[in-house]
Amino acid sequence: MSVLPLELLPESSFVGEDGRLQIGGRDVVELAEEFGTPLFVYDEQQLRDRCREAMAAFPGGVAYATKAFLCGAMAQLAVEEGLNLDVSTGGELHVALAAGAPPDRLVFHGNNKSARELEMAVESGVGRIVIDSLAEIDRLEAVLADQDAEADVLIRVNPGVVAHTHEYLQTGVADSKFGVSIEGGVAADAVVRVNDSPRMSLVGIHAHVGSQVFDVESFGRLVDSLAGFVGPLGLPELSIGGGLGVAYVEGESAPSITEWGALVHSAIATSGLEAKVTVEPGRAIVAQAAITLYTVGTIKEIPGVRTYVSVDGGMSDNPRPVLYGSGYEVFVPRATDRDRDLEVRVVGKHCESGDVLVWSGRVTRDLGLGDVLATPVTGAYGHTMGSNYNMVLRPPVVFVRDGEAREVVRREAYEDLTTRDTVIQRVRPELSS
Ligand code: LLP
């Protein structure tokens, strides 16, 4: 027996006496009827509140990591709330600019930026370029010379710090493709080479320990390990990246952004560093603000084994369970307050046994075909990591607030699947959207 832990739901959630869930003043089952399923539903006020919390906790500056969730509405919201945007590819850069983000509020990341991506960044006038390798210094120098331009840069260093998280999500360990390592002197070389450049101004150092980090002490260790290298440089900025974790399932708890800020500032004070500290949270801003809605299509009880509930989405809208073995909760929004007394595995519609959304979840026993099912905490790295596997259409995104729902990304249409196919376009031009 277990009732869904309400703290995993978006903050504007309200469960009526009939047990039906509302978010942002909208009945969730009605949203599924209006917009169809699968559907991402974001609590807009919560997105804004997390942005404001981050700005208050890190007055030195916050760049929202767009890889966690990006669309025009999200880019605009973060900019309106005073955040900068961290983009890590030409694609993220393009979307952020297309959404109207001021170029000087963009921070451009990436461990293998192409010359074309660097050209885009320089042409558009991004505020900061974060250098990730020695080779990139030469590549950027050439682009700047070509465009007769200058750039403010940070150097991403590898601090050699182990953060407690999934192996794929650690980035600050010695054996990593990211950054230039302090140990062995590569980072010091990078500083000399950037300082020698007439077109680059070195404004700071950047480091990122990893993602989904629950133990804020990892950030304290990061600051400690950077202090000896960063202090003598006397640069104005220090970015400690993102990575703060969030609770996904019952029993987990994560530090708040405010607690993260307090720990980082105290570590900075102890270290004696004087640089302005900036951060790049993604997940902590968006993850808990959203739920995903699905419709149940098939229920198979395999006697003595388990019950499989198949829904109309799957690894194409949330690959995290398959990629990292991540756990999620599941519930039935028409009966949010009811005991979840049936154990199930929630699976998608893809032709793969690994297509699992919830390995072991609990739902109310009267779950039936056609019911709307929801997974909470899907606001980060779901929509952005989605795919068209099996030519499944990508879901729409709806922002809800004060009783209003606005569709900010429409559902993909079958025509979208053939617009880039040059053969089909030639023989069936009427199929282009
Ligand atoms: N800054 C840098 C340089 C990063 O590489 C990342 C994440 C962030 C900031 C934001 O991290 P966050 O605050 O969101 O943890 N796909 C994985 C997460 C990969 C994160 C990659 N870098 C997942 O679904 O858990």
Side-chain angles (χ1 to χ4, degrees), residues 26 49-50 58 60 62 75 109 163 180 288 316 375 381 412:
R26 287 296 311 262
D49 289 346
R50 284 297 80 71
F58 293 97
V62 181
H109 272 287
V180 285
Q288 290 191 331
S316 53
T375 49
Y381 302 108
E412 207 157 27

Side-chain angles (χ1 to χ4, degrees), residues 65 67 86 156 169 208 211 243 280 282-283 320 324 381 385:
K67 67 201 77 160
D86 147 4
R156 177 168 178 170
L169 307 184
H208 170 76
S211 194
E280 294 163 351
R283 189 187 323 260
R320 299 192 71 259
Y324 316 116
Y381 302 108
M385 286 172 63

Side-chain angles (χ1 to χ4, degrees), residues 63-69 86 88 109-110 130 132 156 165-166 168-169 171 178 206-213 219 239-245 248 260 279-286 318-320 323-324 326 328 380-382 384-385:
Y64 164 63
T66 61
K67 67 201 77 160
F69 167 56
D86 147 4
S88 61
H109 272 287
V130 184
D132 202 279
R156 177 168 178 170
T165 184
H166 191 288
Y168 292 1
L169 307 184
T171 51
F178 295 106
H206 173 282
H208 170 76
V209 273
S211 194
Q212 182 58 357
V213 176
F219 296 95
S239 170
I240 58 151
L244 182 66
Y248 280 90
W260 183 36
V279 283
E280 294 163 351
R283 189 187 323 260
I285 303 277
V286 295
N318 187 3
R320 299 192 71 259
L323 268 178
Y324 316 116
S326 309
Y328 284 84
Y381 302 108
T384 46
M385 286 172 63

